[in-house]
Amino acid sequence: ESTNRRSFLQVLTYSEYLFLVLWEIFMICYGGEIIYLNSQRSGEALLRNPWYLHSREIRSDFLIFLANAQRAVVLTGAKFHPLKLEKFRQIITTSFSFFVLLQNMDQR
């Protein structure tokens, strides 16, 4: 009974750790997705605004903002991978593949 209880607690601990790691990765990737989508829409929102009615200084600031809004802001990991929900799916898929591979190697 003691070994069953210990193995159950071990599985519970590993499950909790797995959930927390996945949740942390999901939050980062979801935040990156939100930043990316909203940065794409910021230029459109400014164009819908009657910015041309403002003073010359403000119009020049708006034009600079519009020029910078052409490039979407992308949150990256190690300056290589854009952190979006697609990357989260890839991380989960790759991790599960490694898990299955290691489990098969352990059974042999």
Side-chain angles (χ1 to χ4, degrees), residues 6-99:
R6 184 177 299 164
S7 65
F8 174 74
L9 289 176
Q10 211 171 21
V11 167
L12 185 65
T13 303
Y14 287 145
S15 300
E16 183 179 44
Y17 176 73
L18 177 66
F19 174 75
L20 292 175
V21 168
L22 289 176
W23 182 252
E24 184 176 357
I25 294 171
F26 173 76
M27 286 190 313
I28 292 170
C29 291
Y30 184 73
E33 183 85 18
I34 294 298
I35 289 171
Y36 176 75
L37 292 175
N38 285 332
S39 71
Q40 283 183 323
R41 296 173 45 198
S42 65
E44 298 169 15
L46 185 63
L47 284 174
R48 282 190 231 120
N49 187 8
W51 58 274
Y52 47 86
L53 298 177
H54 294 283
S55 67
R56 184 176 186 89
E57 294 84 20
I58 294 177
R59 282 192 309 231
S60 65
D61 290 342
F62 280 145
L63 290 174
I64 291 170
F65 182 84
L66 281 173
N68 288 330
Q70 298 298 317
R71 292 177 297 149
V73 177
V74 178
L75 187 66
T76 60
K79 296 187 180 181
F80 294 121
H81 305 287
L83 296 176
K84 298 189 212 173
L85 290 177
E86 175 63 26
K87 184 55 69 177
F88 177 72
R89 188 193 62 77
Q90 290 174 355
I91 290 170
I92 299 300
T93 304
T94 304
S95 299
F96 186 73
S97 297
F98 280 122
F99 173 73

